[in-house]
Amino acid sequence: MIDRFLRYSLENGRKICAVLMQDGRMGKRNLLVTEIDADGQGFSARLPGRKRPVHIARADVLTCAYARGDQGELERL
């Protein structure tokens, strides 16, 4: 399920909410995935307040969900 949300963010340019375990602390962050590693072991994402994407290990992601206000529906014209 986590991989599905990461691909959703990457392919549609939408932010997702992720619960991450980093440095022994659990935290909820909104992020926009910009690249997924070829081996699937990590990804690059843009976090609020940062200009450059940061690399996050896939193992650090505990769960993902749609960001606030996003129901996962894509507008089709």
Side-chain angles (χ1 to χ4, degrees):
M1 186 61 87
I2 293 172
D3 294 325
R4 180 174 169 260
F5 276 104
L6 295 177
R7 281 193 317 274
Y8 168 78
S9 178
L10 178 65
E11 293 171 358
N12 299 303
R14 300 272 183 113
K15 289 183 180 180
I16 59 171
C17 180
V19 177
L20 306 172
M21 179 66 81
Q22 293 181 316
D23 300 326
R25 295 184 315 228
M26 187 174 14
K28 184 171 81 169
R29 305 292 302 260
N30 286 336
L31 52 90
L32 176 67
V33 177
T34 57
E35 181 182 5
I36 297 176
D37 295 347
D39 61 2
Q41 298 300 312
F43 60 96
S44 295
R46 217 173 319 142
L47 301 174
R50 297 212 180 176
K51 293 182 180 181
R52 294 185 184 191
V54 296
H55 189 268
I56 301 171
R58 168 64 179 78
D60 290 345
V61 181
L62 302 177
T63 189
C64 292
Y66 295 110
R68 184 175 180 184
D70 187 359
Q71 301 297 318
E73 300 171 1
L74 299 176
E75 297 176 19
R76 295 185 193 256
L77 299 176

